[in-house]
Amino acid sequence: MRPTFCSRWIPVALAVAAAVTLLNGCYSGPRVRRADRTSSIVDYLYPGANRPIAPASLPVLKLPLRVGVAFVPTSDRASPGAYAPPSAISEMRKAELLRRVAQAFEGRDYIASIEIVPSSYLRPGGGFQNVDQLQRLLNLDVIALVSYDQLQFTDEKRASLAYWTIIGAYFIQGNKNDTQTLMEAAVYDIASRQLLFRAPGVGRVTGSSTLLQVDEKLRGDAGAGLQLATDDMIANLKTQLDGFRARLKTTPDAVAKIEHRAGYTGGGSSEPWWALGLIGVLGWTRIRARRTARRSSAR
Amino acid sequence: MTRALQRSWGTLLVALVLGALAFSPTTSCYGEYTRGAIARGEWWRLWSGHFVHFGAWHCFWNIVVTLIAGLQVERRAPIWTRVFLALSPGLIGAMLFVTTPDLERFRGFSGVAAGLVAAWAALDYRDGKRSRATLVAGILALKITSDVFSSRLLLSAAENLDVVPSAAAHLAGVISAALLGIAWAGARIFVVKNQLHRVPTITVRKQASGSSDAPAPIHRSDCCSTPFK
């Protein structure tokens, strides 16, 4: 019996339908996906508060300062079906970043010690109660809280049409990736809950990848973005530390009240105004003596 | 010129030494007041700590005040000034060691300079220049008060943020000037009294009018009114 038209083409049609269905499972057309890794200082210090609580008073800084450096606890969010599975930065990476931040504080005469606080010591939403615990535990005066916000986008270019061929998914770079990182170090006086200064840092990494390399590429970009943002933040942190030092010297009463702990260094200082005041007294005496002499000679 | 130098060489010598030591960091390290080292027996640091500084500006302004006050005082009380310049650094250092256990390191001549300013005010008061004495004393009081109550850092030592002006050193300088002034006056009274007792005949001023045999009375104030000389 000769096969009919239907009996010849039905299996072919079914095979094509099955292939399309399967391909759709792998690739469902161009779209934008995003992943967001964030650690917010506000969420950590003021959990559940609509407005940050006003600082208690002018900070009293006991020089030299004992500084703690810590990463604010993270929370990860991802859009459904995001390529890169959201994951926090590893503890090893955090420790490495904190070491670099700590180095920015080193070698400054008004800083006595720098303590890197392990992430396990910070509770998500722990607030200043948590910071107070750290203060007592590690004997700190000031804490530098490092937070970051990393957004990763991946969307498909026209070249992604080649993914339909399956082979294209291996060799054609049809995905455009964009990683934007914002880091911030906020330095707080623990006792007064006052923000002393902050230093932001930004980093942006863009690139392309094949469909099958997206995860790997985005992970690499996340690391590179953090590195760039950290470099930028540390440069800004150094500027802010120098600026803070200058403010302490020029307008100390506006920044903080300075006290000195045991073992401080004192200087016998004759300041310019004192010397000029005494010179002024001498000048005034001389002028007065001349006037008196003139008057007596006139008589 | 020579006479002026004779009347002020003590202050000028000290200013010269301060200036020379400002450019010698090694000497500054070995000479500075360091509580731990003093406790270990390096007693010279009580004295030498005043002659070294934290920076050029720190030294410069101390020299300026020392010259202003020192020349005023040495002109009128040369020996006392030289004794004060020699002894007061040690006295001030000892007072700091006893009264300020929190002070670990110290440098600067302003404690001695504060003592000189106090002596200047005292001499002015003695010599009847009351208004200038009040002004000088007022400026000194303002300086010490600002050091006590202000949280300002040591601006003269621009490179050292954690260095604070030591109000204790300035107070100690004033106290040491007062102590040495009292000691000096006491010594003079003692010497003059002894001379009065030992010398049987003293200068007798004859009265212009009246009996030539009657000696003029010698007042105690004639001998002891100028303790600083």
Side-chain angles (χ1 to χ4, degrees), chain B residues 129-172:
Chain B
K129 298 171 180 173
R130 300 282 159 87
S131 49
R132 193 170 82 171
T134 313
L135 268 176
V136 172
I139 291 173
L140 177 63
L142 199 66
K143 165 70 181 156
I144 294 172
T145 313
S146 80
D147 286 346
V148 171
F149 293 106
S150 164
S151 60
R152 186 172 19 96
L153 297 159
L154 185 52
L155 297 177
S156 333
E159 297 79 19
N160 296 278
L161 187 97
D162 66 335
V163 179
V164 279
S166 175
H170 299 146
L171 268 175

Side-chain angles (χ1 to χ4, degrees), chain A residues 249 260 263 266 268-271, chain B residues 61-62 102 110 152 154 158 164:
Chain A
K249 294 185 82 169
H260 295 269
S269 155
S270 303
E271 280 155 31
Chain B
W61 289 112
N62 277 346
D102 287 350
S110 75
R152 186 172 19 96
L154 185 52
V164 279

Side-chain angles (χ1 to χ4, degrees), chain A residues 17-268:
Chain A
V20 168
T21 312
L22 284 171
L23 273 173
N24 263 329
C26 297
Y27 176 71
S28 53
R31 60 180 160 184
V32 179
R33 291 164 188 181
R34 59 173 270 181
D36 184 8
R37 301 181 185 92
T38 182
S39 64
S40 164
I41 288 177
V42 175
D43 287 348
Y44 171 65
L45 289 180
Y46 307 100
N50 292 330
R51 282 187 298 175
I53 300 148
S57 56
L58 195 69
V60 179
L61 298 178
K62 281 194 172 181
L63 299 185
L65 297 170
R66 293 176 297 224
V67 182
V69 186
F71 242 104
V72 172
T74 52
S75 63
D76 297 337
R77 291 187 291 270
S79 65
Y83 284 114
S87 59
I89 316 175
S90 69
E91 283 304 309
M92 206 172 77
R93 178 127 196 134
K94 278 183 185 173
E96 185 197 323
L97 289 177
L98 288 181
R99 261 200 301 277
R100 291 190 61 203
V101 172
Q103 277 169 4
F105 285 91
E106 279 172 6
R108 291 173 195 273
D109 44 19
Y110 58 96
I111 290 170
S113 63
I114 304 142
E115 196 80 45
I116 293 175
V117 183
S119 296
S120 54
Y121 286 30
L122 279 79
R123 290 193 313 271
F128 275 108
Q129 289 79 10
N130 192 193
V131 178
D132 288 341
Q133 288 168 342
L134 294 176
Q135 181 190 29
R136 285 191 291 273
L137 192 68
L138 301 168
N139 197 18
L140 305 174
D141 300 314
V142 163
I143 192 160
L145 292 171
V146 180
S147 64
Y148 75 104
D149 191 0
Q150 190 170 61
L151 269 174
Q152 284 196 303
F153 298 96
T154 178
D155 54 88
E156 284 142 8
K157 302 186 283 188
R158 280 181 195 164
S160 66
L161 284 171
Y163 294 162
W164 285 92
T165 64
I166 300 176
I167 292 172
Y170 284 88
F171 298 107
I172 305 296
Q173 296 199 333
N175 272 64
K176 193 170 74 178
N177 307 322
D178 188 359
T179 303
Q180 294 169 20
T181 313
L182 170 73
M183 286 198 82
E184 189 176 63
V187 180
Y188 278 88
D189 171 53
I190 300 172
S192 66
R193 277 105 163 95
Q194 181 105 13
L195 174 69
L196 298 176
F197 58 89
R198 51 180 282 276
V202 290
R204 187 176 183 192
V205 180
T206 53
S208 300
S209 65
T210 64
L211 181 66
L212 289 168
Q213 285 178 322
V214 166
D215 284 0
E216 187 190 336
K217 266 276 186 189
L218 285 178
R219 273 199 300 274
D221 287 355
L226 271 174
Q227 193 73 24
L228 282 175
T230 308
D231 290 346
D232 191 31
M233 183 188 74
I234 285 170
N236 285 333
L237 186 61
K238 284 179 179 169
T239 311
Q240 287 296 323
L241 280 164
D242 290 341
F244 181 67
R245 181 185 195 273
R247 287 203 303 279
L248 277 182
K249 294 185 82 169
T250 49
T251 53
D253 297 333
V255 180
K257 185 165 167 36
I258 306 294
E259 285 183 359
H260 295 269
R261 64 177 88 251
Y264 74 96
T265 304

Side-chain angles (χ1 to χ4, degrees), chain A residues 277-278 280-286 288, chain B residues 68-77 80 115-139 225 227-228:
Chain A
L278 293 175
V281 169
L282 278 180
W284 171 75
T285 316
R286 183 142 309 177
R288 224 178 101 175
Chain B
I68 296 167
L71 293 178
Q72 285 293 321
V73 179
E74 195 172 1
R75 197 161 47 83
R76 286 183 269 177
W80 181 87
L116 286 172
V117 174
W120 177 14
L123 283 174
D124 272 0
Y125 192 80
R126 185 201 68 180
D127 295 346
K129 298 171 180 173
R130 300 282 159 87
S131 49
R132 193 170 82 171
T134 313
L135 268 176
V136 172
I139 291 173
S225 62
F228 275 114

Side-chain angles (χ1 to χ4, degrees), chain A residues 1-21:
Chain A
M1 198 175 99
R2 277 185 69 191
T4 61
F5 177 82
C6 286
S7 63
R8 188 183 292 167
W9 287 104
I10 280 174
V12 175
L14 283 172
V16 169
V20 168
T21 312

